[in-house]
Amino acid sequence: MGVELTALHWIYVVFIFLIIGFMAARRDTTLICIVGIFLIALTATSSLSASISSIFNSFAYAITELLSTILVISIIVAMSKTLTASGINDVMISPFSKLIRSPALAYWTIGLLMMLISFFFWPSPAVALMGAVLLPVAIRAGLPALGVAMAMNLFGHGIALSGDFVIQGAPKLTADAAGLPVSQVIQASLPLVIVMGAVTTGCAFYFLRRDLKNGKLTGSIGLAAVPASSQESLVENEEPALLSSSQKRFFALLIPVLFALDVAAMFMFHLQGGDATALIGGTSVIILLLISMAGHKGTGLEKTTSYLIEGFQFGFKVFGPVIPIAAFFYLGDAGFNTIIGNLLPKHSHGIVNDLGVSLASVVPLTKEIGAVTLTGVGAITGLDGSGFSGISLAGSIAALFAHAIGAGAATLTALGQIAAIWVGGGTLVPWALIPAAAICGVDPFELARRNLLPVTIGLVVTTIVAMFLI
């Protein structure tokens, strides 16, 4: 079960701790990530030129991996600008404004809706659907944009994705690796998902409410889907009168109808993940075109391009700081072979997976240690920002531990799955939670810092509960 750890693995571990330390100290991590990429490449290739080239190649790889997310965020923001500039947004949110009148209602309503939608279509398209309409409502109710991002993030990329009870992509991977029926893993994960979700979202809400009361956060904090600077430029650069009242009401009805048709299409044609996100993105482009042409008349062609440019500027501005850190962590998984070459040890399954296997191989086998180890393995494999890439490893290790302990295979498998997805699927790893951060216009690193304590508390409590269920 052991695996050979080389200098590559130890350099990666050292820089993980450096990156985490710099993030905790609120210092920029770009230089640390670039140095880490260079040293890993130099150690692997022993070539100065290849190591320098690897810095550029790693950035290109990260952008390629993140491109679809960058595009959909940019398009959604561009569409949001047309809604704001035309006044359609005010018409759309007026019904919700009557229902959501407090920060608490905003947090729990947005979170629960996000969870329900994410169960069926996964979180990224759900973020796009939710953010454009409900973000302004929540801010008016006094919930900061950061609180909105946390709610969408924890309920969607946390609860819904870690359980994945409807689509069943996650439990299928872990169950196959553990040699168990999918139904058994789902049944074992149910109490753990409930505990993890309740503890994490409850703690997050407590900390949000505390900071709102003591003035550390206010309802105006956060950039919103359209940054203030961009809104000002829109006001300065375009004629104010766009649409009549009846036209605004027409579009306010048409837009949710179009997105509802998207949801129906996702359900009918089993569109998930990237396919669902692409459908949302394409629909948003069509909405942008319709509103621009109807509102700006003769200048509609030029204004359409202007909105798209501002959307792309926003998207790349938000993703810019994340690309170097994503480039470094992608080296821990399949990105290594693409960026540097096939230079890992012979039986290696990637740096991150090797570290997880090594951890599991050196711990004593009791149910308590087994639970802690599976949580640790899940968290480590989640560091690549996928959440899904390491859950097969978690399933395999759970099966080995359960065989040695004599019980608890399904519970250990579910625990590893939950830890991997909560960490890597989009609540702690900054580039994985960018969809929620970008739609809400908040710093993804600040969102990760806000999530850190609630998620850590949740993982500790869930691990303890798992010990009693094994």
Side-chain angles (χ1 to χ4, degrees), residues 33 49 156 174 190 205 230 233 236 238 258 275 298 357 439 446 448 450 462:
C33 295
S49 60
T174 48
L190 186 58
F205 177 71
S230 298
S233 66
E236 292 171 1
E238 65 184 21
L258 290 177
D275 292 335
V357 171
I439 286 292
E446 180 61 27
R450 293 289 306 193
T462 305

Side-chain angles (χ1 to χ4, degrees), residues 30-41:
T30 297
L31 176 60
I32 303 300
C33 295
I34 292 172
V35 172
I37 293 166
F38 175 79
L39 288 179
I40 289 174

Side-chain angles (χ1 to χ4, degrees), residues 228-243:
S229 59
S230 298
Q231 291 176 356
E232 290 167 5
S233 66
L234 276 172
V235 172
E236 292 171 1
N237 296 330
E238 65 184 21
E239 61 276 13
L242 292 177
L243 298 173

Side-chain angles (χ1 to χ4, degrees), residues 269-281:
F269 302 114
H270 307 289
L271 301 179
Q272 302 163 3
D275 292 335
T277 301
L279 184 61
I280 295 294

Side-chain angles (χ1 to χ4, degrees), residues 93-328:
I93 68 176
S94 58
F96 296 99
S97 299
K98 297 173 184 176
L99 298 174
I100 301 176
R101 294 183 174 275
S102 70
L105 276 173
Y107 177 85
W108 293 108
T109 300
I110 289 173
L112 291 171
L113 285 173
M114 178 72 184
M115 181 182 71
L116 289 173
I117 296 173
S118 299
F119 273 134
F120 291 92
F121 307 112
W122 279 350
S124 293
V127 165
L129 284 168
M130 295 283 297
V133 177
L134 292 183
L135 175 63
V137 179
I139 291 176
R140 291 185 184 185
L143 183 67
L146 188 59
V148 180
M150 289 179 70
M152 292 197 295
N153 205 214
L154 297 176
F155 281 88
H157 292 88
I159 298 174
L161 194 60
S162 67
D164 199 11
F165 300 127
V166 178
I167 298 173
Q168 298 183 5
K172 179 71 165 61
L173 287 172
T174 48
D176 286 351
L180 298 169
V182 175
S183 59
Q184 194 172 335
V185 174
I186 291 175
Q187 184 178 356
S189 70
L190 186 58
L192 299 180
V193 169
I194 291 172
V195 169
M196 181 69 189
V199 172
T200 304
T201 57
C203 288
F205 177 71
Y206 169 78
F207 295 136
L208 272 174
R209 187 173 61 176
R210 180 197 64 187
D211 290 345
L212 282 169
K213 285 184 177 180
N214 63 25
K216 290 184 179 178
L217 283 175
T218 66
S220 61
I221 285 182
L223 305 178
V226 184
S229 59
S230 298
Q231 291 176 356
E232 290 167 5
S233 66
L234 276 172
V235 172
E236 292 171 1
N237 296 330
E238 65 184 21
E239 61 276 13
L242 292 177
L243 298 173
S244 66
S245 297
S246 59
Q247 287 176 315
K248 291 178 185 177
R249 288 193 294 270
F250 170 76
F251 280 110
L253 179 63
L254 175 66
I255 291 167
V257 168
L258 290 177
F259 282 126
L261 290 174
D262 281 352
V263 172
M266 292 176 203
F267 186 77
M268 291 174 60
F269 302 114
H270 307 289
L271 301 179
Q272 302 163 3
D275 292 335
T277 301
L279 184 61
I280 295 294
T283 302
S284 299
V285 171
I286 292 172
I287 292 170
L288 185 154
L289 292 172
L290 291 174
I291 296 174
S292 294
M293 297 306 295
H296 294 287
K297 308 288 191 302
T299 60
L301 296 174
E302 290 73 19
K303 290 298 180 181
T304 298
T305 302
S306 177
Y307 284 126
L308 284 172
I309 289 172
E310 290 198 57
F312 286 125
Q313 287 175 334
F314 175 81
F316 279 93
K317 182 178 181 181
V318 169
F319 277 81
V322 177
I323 288 170
I325 188 173
F328 173 81

Side-chain angles (χ1 to χ4, degrees), residues 154 196 200 422-423 427-428 451-460:
L154 297 176
M196 181 69 189
T200 304
W422 271 89
V423 172
T427 68
L428 291 186
N451 285 345
L452 179 59
L453 185 56
V455 172
T456 301
I457 294 171
L459 286 172
V460 170

